[in-house]
Amino acid sequence: MKKILYVIATSFVMLYVFVNPLTAYGAETDAPLLPASLLRNYPEKAEIEVLAEDILEMANCFDEEGFHWEAGDIQFSNAYCVYVNANILSTLPKTAEELENLLSGSDMVWNIPVCSGEKTVVVQISRALELDEVDHSNLTDEERNRIASQAGTWQVVSSTLYENGETPVETLINTLAVNHASTNPCVLIGGEKGIYSMMAVLLENNTVVGALSMERDISYSEPQVKTRGVNESLLEKNKVYSLQDFSDAAEKSYTEMINIPDNTSGISGNSTQNFYSIVLYLVLGILCIGIIISYGMKCKSK
């Protein structure tokens, strides 16, 4: 009788795991992201999945003692997109449609979790730049041809180690719960001028309702006319604010960073808006050349 009950109990457990894949290790996370932001819904996901060997090589560059990631640790089913250079804070979209239009013209960076034990590496993949978008003055003909042949293809560019084992999306799920926004779908944004932190933009009933900074507090100074001093302001990490709040903070933070007064004529408005885009492409160009020439890997640890 005990054997029969054991078999029945085991069968129920196996059935539960089968019909509830979220309970299984490495299975799909119940992400709050829009479907289009998930690799499992991306029509060209096969182009990302063929990079498994390069993903593992990048993940294992951390050389963590006792940790070695294998092919089975790659979680393509939980991979997600961060949209870069979307200019969300300069356009302030109000509806989901306006937001999606901006995202369609932005750069996509796929983030692939690689999990083992209590540590997780997230490997970033983006499209290689065109030859005319990188400095190729000192490259050989062979190197130029190699860059040209890989232009527009997906390439592994960087990776980030998370010591606590949580991916940013898993952390975001907990953050949304604290902000009473667990049911709000969102998209992840990076590279916004003056922010320099990955952001989650939240929607509700097809309306953009706010955003939060996922990586750091956003601090900036506001001149006080009456006291002739400054007032330090702060947008706290993982707290929801309006896009207008982030836009105002980004402009002040950016102005402080480049040490240019608000009324300067040294940089035109259009040049200021495009400055971060130029920096972004320069960084991607350096990464592209580094991968092709030296196959060196630059890693950052968190």
Side-chain angles (χ1 to χ4, degrees):
M1 183 64 179
K2 290 183 179 180
K3 290 184 178 180
I4 294 175
L5 291 175
Y6 176 80
V7 171
I8 293 175
T10 303
S11 300
F12 271 110
V13 171
M14 294 178 65
L15 179 61
Y16 180 79
V17 172
F18 178 77
V19 299
N20 293 274
L22 295 177
T23 63
Y25 176 78
E28 294 180 1
T29 299
D30 190 15
L33 304 180
L34 292 179
S37 300
L38 301 174
L39 181 63
R40 56 181 180 255
N41 300 321
Y42 185 55
E44 302 172 18
K45 65 178 181 179
E47 297 181 17
I48 306 296
E49 292 172 343
V50 297
L51 299 174
E53 185 175 339
D54 294 338
I55 292 171
L56 275 183
E57 184 177 3
M58 181 64 81
N60 284 309
C61 75
F62 284 102
D63 193 26
E64 288 290 306
E65 184 177 354
F67 281 84
H68 182 78
W69 287 271
E70 304 290 346
D73 298 325
I74 302 176
Q75 296 188 2
F76 285 115
S77 62
N78 288 330
Y80 56 92
C81 180
V82 176
Y83 297 91
V84 179
N85 203 27
N87 296 320
I88 299 296
L89 300 184
S90 61
T91 53
L92 300 177
K94 294 180 175 60
T95 67
E97 182 179 3
E98 292 174 352
L99 177 61
E100 289 170 0
N101 287 338
L102 289 173
L103 299 182
S104 65
S106 67
D107 300 311
M108 303 173 69
V109 179
W110 288 106
N111 289 252
I112 318 298
V114 185
C115 304
S116 177
E118 297 178 354
K119 296 188 180 183
T120 294
V121 172
V122 176
V123 177
Q124 289 80 35
I125 297 176
S126 64
R127 288 192 183 277
L129 298 178
E130 300 290 338
L131 183 60
D132 59 0
E133 294 178 310
V134 299
D135 181 9
H136 52 81
S137 56
N138 295 321
L139 300 181
T140 65
D141 290 339
E142 180 181 355
E143 290 165 348
R144 290 192 186 96
N145 291 335
R146 187 177 300 164
I147 293 176
S149 67
Q150 293 186 346
T153 62
W154 294 104
Q155 300 290 324
V156 172
V157 294
S158 61
S159 59
T160 307
L161 175 65
Y162 295 90
E163 296 280 358
N164 62 1
E166 283 191 352
T167 67
V169 170
E170 291 170 329
T171 301
L172 177 61
I173 293 174
N174 297 328
T175 300
L176 292 176
V178 172
N179 285 275
H180 307 289
S182 297
T183 59
N184 289 72
C186 54
V187 294
L188 301 183
I189 307 295
E192 289 293 313
K193 180 191 71 177
I195 296 299
Y196 315 114
S197 170
M198 185 161 58
M199 298 172 57
V201 178
L202 281 64
L203 299 107
E204 184 175 354
N205 297 325
N206 292 321
T207 301
V208 177
V209 294
L212 57 85
S213 171
M214 297 175 60
E215 295 176 329
R216 70 179 185 92
D217 295 335
I218 311 300
S219 60
Y220 58 96
S221 301
E222 293 183 299
Q224 300 297 298
V225 178
K226 292 183 179 180
T227 61
R228 295 184 179 181
V230 295
N231 178 39
E232 294 293 332
S233 299
L234 183 73
L235 299 185
E236 297 179 23
K237 171 186 172 182
N238 292 334
K239 186 175 179 180
V240 177
Y241 298 89
S242 70
L243 284 188
Q244 186 64 62
D245 288 336
F246 273 105
S247 179
D248 293 342
E251 191 62 35
K252 294 180 176 70
S253 174
Y254 179 74
T255 301
E256 291 174 5
M257 182 196 72
I258 59 178
N259 196 28
I260 296 177
D262 290 334
N263 61 351
T264 182
S265 59
I267 295 180
S268 67
N270 288 335
S271 296
T272 300
Q273 291 175 3
N274 292 330
F275 178 80
Y276 192 82
S277 299
I278 294 172
V279 173
L280 169 67
Y281 282 109
L282 285 175
V283 171
L284 290 177
I286 293 171
L287 287 170
C288 179
I289 294 173
I291 292 170
I292 294 171
I293 297 175
S294 65
Y295 298 98
M297 294 173 292
K298 178 75 174 175
C299 302
K300 56 183 178 177
S301 177
K302 285 191 178 181

